[in-house]
Amino acid sequence: MSDNKRIIIFDTTLRDGEQSPGASMTIFEKIQLAHQLQKLGVDIIEAGFPVISKGDFEAVNQIARQVKGPKICALARAKAQDIEAAAAALEPATNKRIHTFIATSDIHMKYKLKMTREQVVLQAVAAVKKAKTYVDDVEFSAEDAARSDPNFLFQVLEAVISAGATTVNIPDTVGYSTPLEFAQLIKSIKDNVPNIESAAISVHCHNDLGLASANSLAAVEAGAEQVECTVNGIGERSGNCALEEIVMALNTRSDVFGHKTRIDTKQLVPSSKMVESFTGINVQPNKAIVGRNAFAHEAGIHQHGVIANRGTYEIMRAEDVGFESNEFVLGKHSGRHAMKLWLSRNNIRLADDEVAALSESVKSLCDQKKRITDSDVFAILKETQQEAVAMAEPTHFMETRRW
C-alpha cells in the first residue's frame, strides 16, 4: 500500500456492537446513531442483520432510506434467505453493500457447520454469486480466519473473488491472534491468493486478549485497506477494535503508518457519548481517547509540565477528539501549579504561602473523599479567605465535563 493511502473505516456498531449483552437499541436510536456516524465520517455503516428480526430489517431499511453519504451495508450468512433479506432491506439505498460470511476454521466447520471444506467453498461461492445479482459491492468474510488453515483460507478467498467479491474480510473472530501473527497472515494472503488485487483486504479484530486495535494496526502495516470497528469498542464478549483508537493511532502516528482516514475526529466524543447513552454501557474512565480521564491530570509533576507545554504529557489535543479542553483535577497528587491555575480561572488572588496552605488543606480532604469538587475548595476558602471568595467568579473548573 502506498504512503498516505486512505484506510476505509467500516463501522459495525449497529450490528456487532449491538450484539454486546444488554446493548440492544430501538429502531429510533439506531437511526439517530446512523446519522451521527454519517456526521463522524465513516465510510461504511453496517446497519444490521436483517434476517434475524423484523426490527433489524426495519432499522436497516430506514437507515438505507434516510442516511446519505456512507455506504450502507447489511450482514447475511452464506444462505439464500439471508441474502434475500439483506437485499430487500437495502433496497432504498443508493450506495449499498451486502456482507456475507461463512466459517473457514476446522473447529467451526466440524462442530458448528458440520460441513466439509468442499461444501464450505461451494456455499461461499454460491452466496457471493447470489449477492452479486442484487448489488455490485459484495464483501465476503471468512469467519475465524485467524485460526483457519492458511492454505484452505487462500483457496476460499481465491474462489469468492473469482465469484465477484469486491472485499474480502479476515476476522480474528475470537481475538486469538497476536500482531506479528496477524500481520504475517495478511502478507501471506497478498502473496498466495493470485487474484487478491481484484479485491480490498479488510480486517475485523476482536478484543479477547486486549489486542484488537494492535492487531488491526499491524494488518494495516501489512497491507489491509479496510478496518472494521465499533464506537467505544463494544461488541461480542470483550468487544471489537475501537474506532476511536484506530483513527487516532493513524492520525497521531502518521509518521509510522503513513495512512489517513476521512473521520472528523471532533465527532469522536459526541459519538462515544451517544453510544454510551443508547446502550447503557458506560465507558471506563481510563478508556483511550474518549474516557473521562484520557485528558485529565492530577499528578503535580504532570500538571506542571502540561501548564508549561501540553506536549510534555499530551500526544493529542482534547479539543481534536471532541472534548472542550483537557482537565486538571485537584487531589492529593496535585501541586501548587494546578491550584494557582484554578484560582486564576476563578478570579481569586492569594499569596504564595496562602496557595501552599490551601493545597495542603485540599490534600488533607482527599484522605476523606475520592474526588474533590469546586464546592469543596470554596468551602475551605470561605473558612480562611472570605474576602477573596466574595470577589470570585466561579467557572466550575472541575465539576463540568467538557464534551
Side-chain angles (χ1 to χ4, degrees), residues 138-159:
V138 175
E139 176 173 337
F140 172 80
S141 282
E143 186 184 6
D144 207 23
R147 294 194 298 171
S148 298
D149 175 357
N151 290 320
F152 178 59
L153 180 62
F154 304 152
Q155 178 189 346
V156 173
L157 296 178
E158 181 181 0

Side-chain angles (χ1 to χ4, degrees), residues 357-377:
L358 177 60
S359 293
E360 290 305 312
S361 295
V362 168
K363 289 183 180 183
S364 295
L365 184 59
C366 287
D367 290 330
Q368 304 170 44
K369 294 187 65 176
K370 289 185 179 292
R371 189 171 179 85
I372 301 300
T373 68
D374 286 349
S375 298
D376 295 320
V377 183

Side-chain angles (χ1 to χ4, degrees), residues 210-226:
L211 296 172
S213 293
N215 286 339
S216 298
L217 289 167
V220 166
E221 288 189 283
E225 299 156 278
Q226 173 179 291

